[in-house]
């Protein structure tokens, strides 16, 4: 790489702005007002406070679910959802090998056995054909992850669950605002979970949600998240359980965010369109969308052609003030996950994948700057 070119670009870049972070939440609504209401009322914990219930009700109605219960973060939502199934050691739970490690960890934490499945080349989602090959008489449940905000092949995966009497759990942590056949994801499975971490489409600071199809499952989840506190006898507990509740302060932020959900989606869609326009000529591949899904555009991700370009491009962008993230490592590559077999498609994607800045706050001139920097990287590499 030509050194003087490189420093010129840095200089030009700094005239425009400082670092472009990979994510930044959009906090333009009543977040401050609602948090102040918590402080003024002194209800800042999780046992009482109006915002918890309000957020739960509004969230349920937004996605079209009947039963929801809020929790303190995404991994706890996953663990709580799985705990309602009362899995036994040896029971197997199917999941995609390419996803956030929280999903696999939650399965291990219940004592059950995670069984990873390879990805599809174009949508990067769990491959239904591969799922069929991984089924055994011990398979009890399947966790599908709507990776990067694209719905996975729910028709095919739901059919497998039905055929083999498996519980379907949807991991919608990246998919608030994602629709499949005009229905919001999280309303297909027996259970679903959402995360409201700072880089998720709507945030609570930290928070999560468990969605259940039936009232029975809701009862179980609610009981397990509140130390199985008796409804009729003070400080009496019938079961070993957890305290996974969301605080009123987090719910206050989340409610303010939910009120702006449509604005945030529109901004994220705009960001996605700008990237598409300005990256068009470059040798990068994006996640392929499918006809019956609406992408939430949670994160703007691209794959480089050759794995050796990945870190080089990331380093180049970093040097000019643009922050990126690599894709997740496929779970079988981590030392403790004990997954057998090969996962060639997930490896292919993971070795090439980069998440670009994806905040709803991004302006077109920033997307142009990012695109020009990527173009410059390829020009310098060809020289
Ligand atoms: C973010 C995320 C989680 C974890 O949720 P947090 O609340 O952010 O810890 C789990 N699974 C996936 C797929 C995620 O993207």
């Amino acid at each position: 790489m030509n050194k003087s070119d490189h420093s010129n670009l840095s200089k030009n870049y700094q005239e425009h702005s400082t670092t472009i972070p990979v994510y930044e939440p959009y906090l333009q609504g009543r977040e401050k007002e609602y948090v102040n209401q918590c402080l003024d009322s002194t209800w800042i914990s999780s046992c009482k406070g109006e915002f918890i219930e309000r957020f739960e009700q509004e969230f349920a109605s937004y996605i079209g679910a009947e039963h929801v219960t809020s929790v303190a973060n995404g991994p706890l939502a996953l663990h709580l959802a799985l705990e309602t199934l009362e899995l036994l050691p040896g029971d197997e739970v199917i999941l995609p090998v390419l996803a956030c490690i929280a999903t696999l960890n939650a399965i291990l934490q219940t004592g059950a056995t995670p069984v990873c499945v390879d990805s599809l080349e174009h949508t990067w989602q769990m491959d239904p054909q591969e799922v069929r090959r991984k089924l055994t008489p011990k398979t009890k449940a399947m966790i599908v992850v709507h990776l990067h905000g694209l719905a996975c092949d729910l028709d095919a995966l739901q059919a497998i669950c039905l055929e083999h009497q498996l519980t379907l759990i949807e991991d919608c942590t990246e998919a608030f605002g994602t629709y499949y056949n005009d229905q919001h994801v999280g309303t297909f499975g027996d259970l679903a979970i959402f995360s409201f971490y700072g880089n998720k489409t709507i945030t609570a600071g930290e928070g999560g949600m468990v969605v259940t199809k039936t009232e029975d499952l809701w009862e179980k989840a609610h009981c397990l998240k509140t130390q199985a506190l008796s409804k009729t006898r003070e400080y009496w507990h019938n079961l070993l359980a957890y305290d996974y509740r969301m605080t009123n302060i987090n719910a206050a932020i989340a409610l303010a965010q939910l009120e702006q959900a449509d604005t945030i989606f529109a901004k994220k869609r705009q960001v996605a369109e700008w990237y598409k326009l300005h990256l068009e000529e470059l040798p990068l591949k994006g996640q392929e969308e499918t006809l019956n899904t609406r992408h939430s555009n949670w994160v703007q991700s691209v794959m480089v052609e050759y794995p050796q370009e990945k870190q080089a491009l990331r380093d180049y962008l970093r040097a000019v003030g643009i922050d990126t993230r690599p894709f997740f490592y496929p779970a079988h590559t981590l030392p403790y996950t004990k997954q057998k077999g090969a996962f060639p498609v997930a490896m292919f994607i993971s070795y090439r994948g980069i998440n670009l800045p994806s905040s709803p706050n991004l302006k077109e001139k920033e997307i142009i700057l990012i695109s020009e920097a990527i173009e410059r990287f390829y020009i310098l590499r060809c020289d």
Side-chain angles (χ1 to χ4, degrees):
M1 188 183 293
N2 181 321
K3 213 166 173 217
S4 65
D5 266 338
H6 189 285
S7 55
N8 274 342
L9 186 61
S10 306
K11 225 199 274 155
N12 279 341
Y13 182 77
Q14 276 159 13
E15 283 166 16
H16 289 281
S17 69
T18 50
T19 314
I20 301 182
V22 79
Y23 210 86
E24 216 178 39
Y26 178 83
L27 302 167
Q28 303 296 322
R30 304 173 78 176
E31 289 85 357
K32 222 175 253 178
E33 180 190 331
Y34 287 171
V35 168
N36 279 333
Q37 278 181 37
C38 295
L39 294 169
D40 292 342
S41 72
T42 78
W43 291 112
I44 55 177
S45 288
S46 54
C47 85
K48 270 196 190 132
E50 60 163 323
F51 290 109
I52 299 165
E53 220 166 275
R54 274 176 70 188
F55 176 53
E56 287 177 345
Q57 280 173 6
E58 299 278 323
F59 183 84
S61 112
Y62 193 94
I63 67 161
E66 227 168 304
H67 311 288
V68 307
T69 189
S70 57
V71 294
N73 66 39
L76 297 184
L78 276 161
H79 188 239
L80 188 65
L82 283 162
E83 283 290 277
T84 65
L85 307 185
E86 297 174 33
L87 296 166
L88 299 170
D91 285 348
E92 293 175 2
V93 181
I94 299 263
L95 78 159
V97 75
L98 190 62
C100 174
I101 198 58
T103 314
L104 183 137
N105 284 354
I107 298 169
L108 284 176
Q109 282 153 1
T110 66
T113 303
V115 176
C116 287
V117 171
D118 204 2
S119 320
L120 290 164
E121 196 183 327
H122 300 290
T123 61
W124 312 343
Q125 308 291 357
M126 185 155 73
D127 182 347
Q129 305 267 18
E130 280 294 307
V131 169
R132 287 192 183 273
R133 278 181 217 123
K134 298 278 175 119
L135 294 173
T136 77
K138 291 181 185 160
T139 312
K140 290 290 182 318
M142 181 194 298
I143 304 183
V144 302
V145 179
H146 304 298
L147 200 68
H148 294 193
L150 179 71
C152 48
D153 189 349
L154 277 168
D155 282 338
L157 295 165
Q158 247 184 330
I160 298 170
C161 288
L162 216 62
E163 202 179 307
H164 297 271
Q165 291 172 307
L166 311 180
T167 303
L168 176 61
I169 302 177
E170 293 179 76
D171 181 334
C172 306
T173 44
E174 302 179 357
F176 177 64
T178 300
Y179 291 78
Y180 186 80
N181 291 335
D182 297 324
Q183 186 180 330
H184 201 291
V185 296
T187 56
F188 292 85
D190 302 286
L191 293 138
I193 69 109
F194 287 83
S195 157
F196 309 115
Y197 185 67
N199 67 2
K200 298 293 155 87
T201 301
I202 61 166
T203 183
E206 285 268 1
M209 192 74 84
V210 175
V211 180
T212 70
K213 189 149 260 177
T214 66
E215 191 163 356
D216 278 0
L217 277 175
W218 181 88
E219 276 288 345
K220 249 183 183 172
H222 182 77
C223 169
L224 287 171
K225 92 161 188 191
T226 53
Q227 297 283 28
L229 185 66
S230 164
K231 284 179 186 160
T232 50
R233 196 167 162 191
E234 277 178 298
Y235 294 119
W236 186 259
H237 308 267
N238 291 308
L239 285 176
L240 174 64
Y242 310 96
D243 182 355
Y244 281 178
R245 296 168 299 175
M246 182 184 267
T247 72
N248 199 36
I249 293 179
N250 292 114
I253 297 171
L255 179 66
Q257 286 271 291
L258 187 57
E259 289 169 354
Q260 305 164 88
D262 294 337
T263 307
I264 296 174
F265 292 137
K267 285 182 174 293
K268 289 178 80 87
R269 201 165 315 131
Q270 178 64 263
V271 166
E273 278 164 21
W274 284 331
Y275 269 120
K276 225 172 245 163
L277 180 69
H278 296 294
L279 291 178
E280 209 177 6
E281 307 289 315
L282 296 169
L284 300 168
K285 262 199 193 135
Q287 187 179 27
E288 261 175 45
E289 291 191 38
T290 41
L291 283 179
N292 48 353
T293 69
R294 192 187 95 176
H295 205 298
S296 70
N297 300 302
W298 173 57
V299 72
Q300 297 303 315
S301 9
V302 291
M303 280 202 299
V304 294
E305 209 169 349
Y306 305 105
Q308 59 272 29
E309 288 171 357
K310 176 177 156 171
Q311 195 54 42
L313 174 57
R314 293 195 60 218
D315 290 345
Y316 183 77
L317 292 176
R318 178 81 244 170
V320 297
I322 298 164
D323 201 12
T324 63
R325 290 284 180 280
F327 280 17
F328 300 123
Y329 285 105
H332 73 288
T333 62
L334 303 178
Y336 63 93
T337 61
K338 295 188 190 146
Q339 295 299 306
K340 291 191 207 94
F343 301 87
V345 182
M347 292 296 271
F348 183 95
I349 297 165
S350 167
Y351 278 3
R352 290 167 177 77
I354 299 178
N355 294 325
L356 299 173
S358 304
S359 166
N361 301 337
L362 286 167
K363 302 282 181 283
E364 187 173 19
K365 71 171 204 281
E366 291 169 305
I367 311 280
I368 291 173
L369 244 136
I370 296 164
S371 308
E372 284 176 355
I374 298 175
E375 195 178 343
R376 191 113 199 111
F377 167 81
Y378 279 107
I379 292 169
L380 292 172
R381 253 181 114 73
C382 288
D383 285 348

